[in-house]
Amino acid sequence: MSGNFQIRKVAVLGAGVMGAQIAAHLVNANVETLLFELPAQKSDMGEGDPNGNVNKALDNLKKLDPAPIASPAKIGYIQPANYEQHLDKLRECDLIIEAIAERMDWKSGLYKKVAPYVNEHAIFASNTSGLSINQLAEAFPEALRHRFCGIHFFNPPRYMHLVELIPCRATEALLLDQLETFLVSTLGKGVVRAKDTPNFIANRIGVFSMLATKHHAQAFKLGFDMVDALTGRYLGRPKSATFRTLDVVGLDVFAHVVNTMRENLTDDPWHRHFELPGWFAYLVDQGALGQKTKRGIYQKIGKEIHVLDLHTREYKLSDAQVDDGVKEILRERDWAKKLAGLRNSPHPQAQFLWATFRDVFHYCALQLDQIANNARDLDFAVRWGFGWDSGPFEIWQAAGWQQVAGWIAADIAAGKAMANTPLPAWVVESNRTGVHTPQGSYAPVGWISDSASTGTPYQPRSTLPVYKRQLFPDALIGEQRHYGETVFETDEVRLWHMGDNIAILSFKTKMHTVSNEVLDGILRAVNEAEAHFSALILWQVEPPFSAGANLLQLMQGVQEPAPDAGMFGKLKQAANRVKYTIAGKGSMGDLFDAAIGNVPHVEAVVAKFQQVSQRLKYAQVPTIAAVDGLALGGGCEFSIHCTRIVATLESYIGLVEVGVGLLPAGGGCKEMAQRAAQEAQRFANDNRVDIFPFVRRYFQQVAMGEVSKSAELAREMGYLRASDRIVLNKFELLHIAKEEAKALNATAYRPPLHQRQIAVAGRTGIATLKAAMVNMLQGGFISEHDYDIGCRVA
């Protein structure tokens, strides 16, 4: 295979839930994509559309929430195809991903059908979630087997970072390197190479964790909602916790994964626990499969969440309350104190949590050498595939390796653990302090480098060239991280560099909100960059980019005296109506939790905000906003004034101030008006321009506090320009921002000239916008205050 192999066109076989969403994410990344499905049956009424099945799947993509597609317009780029008419098109594809149902016989039949149309240089990969890759490879012609592997995406593919790559015995090593490069940089994924064992790594550990949770919940007599109250954010896991996650995944899908473990892991010491309880079969038989059937372990009735009562098998209002003492333990940030507190507490909720941790640690330790190449791959697989903040080994290491190992061994000896198999010898080595070190992560059987075993038990990270683009890859406990050399640092910002001539400014405030001190820091950073550097990048060590101005501080500046609890409550309620993330993970109201300080008068802060925006726009060096996650209010205003925005696909950008009864005052309204004028000019006919339609669009976005649900939509809404960049892998964001700065300087960068005249809609435009708002006010759609704010925005 040639070194310059490129994946230009991809075919996805199977337009089910996963296949259609994988195709959607491929076009999110601007990859030419074909989506195959069985031809539609001819109707009694006539011929019908042979692509009817795949077109139906494409229509369904528009209804899914969270949206699998970065912009509805992108769905039109997925080319529908069927196995009767279009197999010849497979010859043009560099990568073919099979994503049909998890049936070995169906997959084998499909492979035999399509194999004659696969070109000799193409990669053929199965998206199986747990079937044997070597067994599947046997259905493939021997001459093509070296081009075959497993490529396991996680649901939903746009948002879940993990893809597992699983070679068969014949898979070419170079093929895996090239596929990994494509997945990491083009599709923005975190790749873990797994061994060909049932359910691979993430599902093997994640599903075992769920089975252990179920087992101990039953033993300690805890209801489903109580388990979810205990196993979500308190443990650094998604809010959907355990049983709500099952509803999202689908009870039928989970049953299939557990069955795969039960049928194929007969030697596993925990095999007797790979069973599903009677209530599970009862729900599946009832067709209560979870979110997709609107009923599973939970059911939403009106606005209330109800949960299955195991005794009555009826749904009741979910009202679980975590014990105050247990809550205190769970709020502890130090894992050593948290696990010790859980183990030592007599409360059933605490005992349940310790037992679950213990058995998951035990399982990971015993299975590591069977399923993964090293401990880092196991931890990343669970983090990226199941949304945990920390992997199982990371938690164990953070809590004190020897201490926890001793507790586990004592519980095994006492017969408390789910299996009585002792911990492996490597776990209890007297000098072991963990599995992750600055040199690498523990690999139970040594690791392979340049085709020769090194014999060392610690495997460093991959040296594939694609990872040089990740200046700061996802961090693990035990690794040392150094964010460059400091230029200056205050309590709220830090300016630093990486030994080159590009300055990087990072905020230190909660949610990277903007305070008066942050404004001072940006002004100082621009001055430093102009004096000593060739560019300035605004980049945060962790998302979000910025949730905007510290609104509570600003509110304090307005109120005389400070707002009472009632006013605070109203503001927070209003803020909570402005949802700012996919799947409703938060709201502007969260900003009101920020610390309170002494604030200058609002007018002075607004003037400084506008000064900062203008300095970013007209600096003598390029300014780059490297946006990941939220860029709201002031965060949005700063980014749109920078020379360039480099944004991850999952960037949610908008001027949301109206949601709390404020106006965007940092230059956002001016910038939108200016962009409306520029767009109108491009459509001008004999210099006669009707600017109002362009102004109206931006007015509506600002007046409604609209937030883009992706960087693609931010471009369509005008927050990103044609020259701004969209990045699929957030860990490449800083690298690409720096490359963008270099490219701007390569053409002898000069700041834009001050625009002296901006075409506006004038009094007529204001009157038209106000008339529309009067109608909304009279119709009861907006309040008097909303009307006042809308008029001021106009």
Side-chain angles (χ1 to χ4, degrees), residues 191-222:
V191 172
V192 166
R193 297 199 187 185
K195 296 181 179 181
D196 185 22
T197 55
N199 294 343
F200 313 129
I201 302 174
N203 275 345
R204 180 79 172 267
I205 301 302
V207 169
F208 176 80
S209 174
M210 287 180 164
L211 290 172
T213 302
K214 170 194 69 67
H215 171 81
H216 292 301
Q218 190 174 345
F220 289 100
K221 297 182 170 54
L222 301 181

Side-chain angles (χ1 to χ4, degrees), residues 370-609:
Q370 298 295 314
I371 65 175
N373 294 315
N374 56 68
R376 177 179 53 251
D377 287 351
L378 187 147
D379 273 347
F380 275 154
V382 175
R383 273 169 53 173
W384 296 342
F386 281 79
W388 293 21
D389 292 349
S390 304
F393 285 133
E394 284 186 289
I395 296 169
W396 185 345
Q397 184 166 329
W401 188 270
Q402 292 293 340
Q403 173 75 277
V404 174
W407 290 341
I408 297 169
D411 279 10
I412 294 169
K416 294 179 180 177
M418 285 168 69
N420 58 12
T421 310
L423 287 166
W426 66 264
V427 170
V428 292
E429 290 166 352
S430 58
N431 61 345
R432 179 167 297 287
T433 56
V435 290
H436 302 304
T437 71
Q439 292 73 44
S441 294
Y442 179 71
V445 288
W447 61 282
I448 305 301
S449 175
D450 299 326
S451 304
S453 177
T454 63
T456 175
Y458 290 94
Q459 183 172 351
R461 286 180 181 251
S462 170
T463 55
L464 273 181
V466 70
Y467 291 109
K468 291 194 173 88
R469 297 166 61 87
Q470 298 188 14
L471 303 180
F472 298 99
D474 207 353
L476 273 172
I477 188 175
E479 292 182 331
Q480 291 164 346
R481 179 139 295 193
H482 177 60
Y483 290 102
E485 301 303 319
T486 300
V487 179
F488 75 80
E489 185 166 11
T490 70
D491 289 343
E492 310 235 326
V493 300
R494 176 175 178 253
L495 186 72
W496 53 286
H497 65 87
M498 296 180 69
D500 53 17
N501 60 357
I502 296 174
I504 301 162
L505 184 70
S506 301
F507 301 176
K508 294 162 64 180
T509 49
K510 183 177 180 181
M511 292 184 76
H512 305 132
T513 52
V514 180
S515 63
N516 189 49
E517 293 77 10
V518 169
L519 295 174
D520 288 335
I522 299 173
L523 290 172
R524 184 177 169 190
V526 174
N527 291 338
E528 284 280 352
E530 287 180 330
H532 304 295
F533 295 91
S534 67
L536 174 65
I537 296 173
L538 273 58
W539 176 83
Q540 314 299 6
V541 171
E542 293 282 341
F545 175 73
S546 173
N550 189 326
L551 293 180
L552 188 52
Q553 285 189 351
L554 288 179
M555 291 304 173
Q556 277 204 316
V558 175
Q559 298 298 324
E560 289 182 5
D564 60 20
M567 178 64 169
F568 176 84
K570 285 174 188 169
L571 287 169
K572 186 153 185 171
Q573 283 172 359
N576 272 322
R577 289 198 291 270
V578 185
K579 291 296 179 188
Y580 62 62
T581 64
I582 302 280
K585 290 179 186 169
S587 69
M588 284 289 290
D590 293 350
L591 304 188
F592 284 81
D593 297 328
I596 300 170
N598 294 321
V599 190
H601 286 297
V602 168
E603 290 80 1
V605 175
V606 168
K608 193 180 284 186
F609 241 107

Side-chain angles (χ1 to χ4, degrees), residues 213 217 222-232 241-243 320 352-353:
T213 302
L222 301 181
F224 298 120
D225 51 346
M226 178 57 74
V227 169
D228 282 349
L230 290 164
T231 60
T242 303
F243 293 112
F352 153 74
L353 286 170

Side-chain angles (χ1 to χ4, degrees), residues 669-737:
C669 290
K670 174 269 302 175
E671 200 65 21
M672 296 296 97
Q674 198 167 11
R675 291 185 186 189
Q678 289 165 350
E679 287 171 24
Q681 196 60 47
R682 285 200 292 273
F683 289 93
N685 180 22
D686 297 329
N687 292 323
R688 292 194 301 276
V689 184
D690 180 10
I691 194 173
F692 183 74
F694 301 93
V695 171
R696 181 175 56 200
R697 171 188 157 211
Y698 284 113
F699 165 77
Q700 187 172 330
Q701 286 173 192
V702 176
M704 300 296 287
E706 290 180 8
V707 177
S708 71
K709 290 187 176 178
S710 71
E712 283 288 352
L713 285 172
R715 201 194 302 277
E716 290 176 21
M717 294 166 76
Y719 293 125
L720 265 61
R721 298 149 295 195
S723 56
D724 294 325
R725 308 283 175 227
I726 296 176
V727 178
L728 270 286
N729 195 317
K730 65 180 181 179
F731 298 109
E732 294 185 356
L733 182 64
L734 183 56
H735 164 79
I736 293 168

